[in-house]
Amino acid sequence: MTTSLPLVRTEKQGRVGIVTIDRPDRKNALNLQVKQELVAAFQHFEADDQVACLVLTGAGGFFVAGTDIVEMSDMRPTDHVLLETDQVFRVLKGLSKPVIAAVEGYALGGGCELALACDIVIAAEGASFGQPEIRVGIMPGAGGTQRLLRAAGSYKTLLWTLTGERIPASAFHAANLVSDLVPDGKALERAVAVAAQIADAPPLAVRAIREVVRFGGDASLDAGLALERRAFERLFDSDDQKEGMRAFMEKRKPKFEGR
């Protein structure tokens, strides 16, 4: 089933929820309306027990060309606070279900930050990323500098953010910012396939893995290992652990129920 808001479309394929930004005349630039509709789409799928994994993409051969500069040009600091211009990034980060970005064309500025806020990024070989905010007198403000820093290091981050240059998907892949490169036109197909595979996995284990990867990235190795071990041990209280191991020994497909 497919449902549509004016600028965002949602559909379900099995247990995968697909969110498509559909503003091709502006290369899917993020204005307040798009952001609000994305929040509604994310919250809709978060509440849907039949959806286990999400895919975020853009229509018209583009992911997101950036934040809408025309709309943003006259904003004051308090406007950003009152309008919660960062809400979509906070909601996306707080989802309990994995989100995969399927990137074709451009993922620039806020679009790059939106992709980097996802758990997995699948990019077409011809896609390009970038944080060009410096060219209009500002800087990344929704995680661009910090996520680049943690994956690519300070030298790449400063090169890319201080010049505002476009970065080929291959360079983002080499810098561990893209999970997988696919031929042009195949990003959505690959993302949905990965999402379907994750949707078939035991939900408690999926959640545990996401949590220890997120929190472990900012912890010491010893602290990260402790987090991992505790999460590993807790899964032995789950029905899914019993079912998974029993199915393995019986040479059959397991039926996970998230308990």
Side-chain angles (χ1 to χ4, degrees):
M1 182 180 69
T2 302
T3 60
S4 296
L5 294 168
L7 299 176
V8 171
R9 290 187 281 109
T10 64
E11 63 179 299
K12 287 167 62 172
Q13 291 189 21
R15 301 194 68 211
V16 177
I18 302 173
V19 179
T20 304
I21 303 168
D22 193 5
R23 197 189 181 199
D25 57 318
R26 297 297 302 276
K27 295 184 174 61
N28 302 323
L30 298 175
N31 63 3
L32 288 171
Q33 182 179 343
V34 170
K35 290 179 179 180
Q36 290 162 359
E37 292 181 16
L38 282 174
V39 167
F42 292 147
Q43 291 175 337
H44 168 74
F45 281 136
E46 176 76 355
D48 188 340
D49 291 337
Q50 299 305 309
V51 171
C53 193
L54 278 64
V55 171
L56 174 61
T57 193
F62 299 95
F63 186 69
V64 173
T67 302
D68 195 315
I69 299 297
V70 175
E71 181 182 75
M72 193 168 50
S73 61
D74 292 327
M75 284 188 180
R76 307 296 297 174
T78 51
D79 294 325
H80 286 283
V81 175
L82 295 173
L83 294 171
E84 293 187 290
T85 58
D86 66 337
Q87 182 188 23
V88 64
F89 299 95
R90 289 186 282 106
V91 169
L92 175 57
K93 186 65 176 176
L95 295 177
S96 67
K97 303 169 184 182
V99 184
I100 301 174
V103 179
E104 300 273 357
Y106 306 139
L108 305 175
C112 184
E113 291 171 312
L114 195 64
L116 296 180
C118 296
D119 296 283
I120 294 171
V121 181
I122 308 295
E125 293 169 342
S128 58
F129 295 79
Q131 300 289 167
E133 290 88 347
I134 196 166
R135 298 186 177 189
V136 292
I138 57 172
M139 63 173 284
T145 61
Q146 298 308 297
R147 290 194 173 97
L148 290 177
L149 175 63
R150 283 159 173 76
S154 63
Y155 296 111
K156 288 289 190 184
T157 298
L158 288 171
L159 173 65
W160 291 339
T161 57
L162 292 179
T163 64
E165 294 177 347
R166 289 187 188 176
I167 304 110
S170 58
F172 251 42
H173 184 253
N176 296 320
L177 291 157
V178 163
S179 312
D180 197 8
L181 281 177
V182 297
D184 290 349
K186 298 294 185 179
L188 180 58
E189 178 182 331
R190 171 64 173 153
V192 171
V194 172
Q197 186 175 353
I198 294 171
D200 281 342
L204 294 176
V206 169
R207 181 173 294 190
I209 290 168
R210 290 178 73 228
E211 286 181 354
V212 298
V213 169
R214 285 184 174 186
F215 290 117
D218 291 325
S220 68
L221 177 59
D222 284 344
L225 289 170
L227 286 171
E228 179 189 75
R229 187 64 187 180
R230 298 295 86 76
F232 167 80
E233 292 167 350
R234 284 198 302 271
L235 288 174
F236 279 78
D237 266 339
S238 71
D239 292 343
D240 282 350
Q241 174 264 327
K242 305 296 186 294
E243 167 63 10
M245 293 188 178
R246 188 180 301 116
F248 176 83
M249 292 184 289
E250 295 173 358
K251 297 180 172 57
R252 60 174 175 83
K253 184 176 180 179
K255 297 179 181 178
F256 297 120
E257 297 183 358
R259 296 187 297 181

